[in-house]
Amino acid sequence: MKLSSRLDTIKNKVTDHYDHIWDCCCDHGQLGVGLLASHPKSVIHFVDVVDELMIDLESQLQKHASAIQSQWQVHCMDVAKLPLIKGKKNLIIIAGVGGDLLIELVRSIQLRNSDIELEFILCPVLHNYMVRCELIEMGFGLISETLVKENKRFYEVLHISNQAAKPIAPVGNDMWNLSDSDHQEYLNKTVSHYQRMEANPKCTSRVSEQYQELVGK
């Protein structure tokens, strides 16, 4: 199965060994299925709150069980209540959800697991600046970040940890290559978006300025 460019970017960030990988809400389990072959020593957990989706996914996985060497589990539950395995290395992947919901899930997972290392790969739909600011406030650091274009839309993929020392930049840092026309397009669209938002007196003008400052770096 060929993954989309966004899911392939996320998959390629999973370079270390993890005892447990939690695929949360990621395009009907496509990412987790892709990880089964590349991480045969990990337990891949498929998590979503939609019962029908998980029943269908489990049925598909069982049909191909003989060809799958990895262990896998299907959970129909709220991602905010993930049963992380303490004493083991966990990676939590959340993609395909809005920024507000994504932060709500990360915050809930953090509150329930404040005593263990937390490592996430996140790919929010919209509100990336807000997501980054909330992650900074929660004390997360950056492992890596990538900008990806898929079907004329742009996505920021953030690999973060509560143990990483590198700070997260509100407007991004490592992901930018402004000699790339796609990156220039995304920056221009982002600046224009925040300039429109700043017409509302309740919003700060500082956001678009921060993005504009990237050009001079």
Side-chain angles (χ1 to χ4, degrees):
M1 178 185 62
K2 182 175 175 58
L3 295 175
S4 68
S5 55
R6 177 171 52 96
L7 293 184
D8 194 51
T9 297
I10 294 172
K11 178 175 174 287
N12 289 337
K13 285 189 175 292
V14 187
T15 55
D16 291 343
H17 166 71
Y18 298 92
D19 299 301
H20 298 271
I21 301 175
W22 304 83
D23 170 7
C24 306
C25 319
C26 299
D27 288 74
H28 308 292
Q30 290 184 48
L31 177 62
V33 170
L35 289 167
L36 286 171
S38 58
H39 289 76
K41 295 183 180 180
S42 301
V43 180
I44 310 297
H45 300 264
F46 298 85
V47 188
D48 202 294
V49 74
V50 182
D51 188 59
E52 295 84 355
L53 174 63
M54 303 317 285
I55 291 173
D56 181 63
L57 176 60
E58 186 165 23
S59 175
Q60 294 300 316
L61 288 167
Q62 287 173 343
K63 286 180 183 178
H64 302 287
S66 61
I68 297 171
Q69 301 301 315
S70 298
Q71 296 177 300
W72 52 269
Q73 296 179 21
V74 173
H75 309 268
C76 183
M77 64 178 300
D78 184 351
V79 171
K81 299 177 181 178
L82 283 186
L84 298 182
I85 314 301
K86 296 188 178 183
K88 300 291 184 179
K89 192 170 184 180
N90 295 268
L91 174 67
I92 305 149
I93 306 174
I94 307 175
V97 300
D100 289 331
L101 176 57
L102 184 145
I103 285 301
E104 180 183 320
L105 295 174
V106 172
R107 193 180 298 279
S108 296
I109 293 169
Q110 183 190 49
L111 288 172
R112 292 171 62 89
N113 300 277
S114 59
D115 57 337
I116 66 172
E117 179 178 354
L118 291 175
E119 187 171 336
F120 292 87
I121 296 178
L122 306 173
C123 183
V125 177
L126 303 175
H127 307 304
N128 289 288
Y129 182 87
M130 178 273 292
V131 167
R132 287 170 173 274
C133 290
E134 293 288 341
L135 293 173
I136 293 167
E137 184 180 306
M138 284 188 274
F140 286 99
L142 183 70
I143 296 173
S144 69
E145 59 183 11
T146 305
L147 179 63
V148 58
K149 186 178 183 180
E150 177 182 290
N151 297 327
K152 298 182 179 180
R153 295 190 64 177
F154 290 91
Y155 299 90
E156 296 180 22
V157 181
L158 298 169
H159 189 178
I160 65 166
S161 167
N162 61 358
Q163 302 298 309
K166 187 170 188 175
I168 298 170
V171 298
N173 189 6
D174 294 352
M175 71 176 185
W176 293 104
N177 175 14
L178 292 178
S179 63
D180 185 312
S181 59
D182 283 342
H183 287 230
Q184 293 173 21
E185 178 188 353
Y186 179 59
L187 179 58
N188 290 335
K189 285 183 175 181
T190 304
V191 170
S192 296
H193 166 72
Y194 282 106
Q195 285 176 335
R196 289 193 300 271
M197 286 184 63
E198 287 152 9
N200 183 335
K202 294 182 180 179
C203 296
T204 175
S205 63
R206 183 62 185 142
V207 178
S208 65
E209 290 175 7
Q210 288 180 65
Y211 282 102
Q212 288 172 313
E213 287 169 2
L214 289 166
V215 178
K217 289 187 176 181

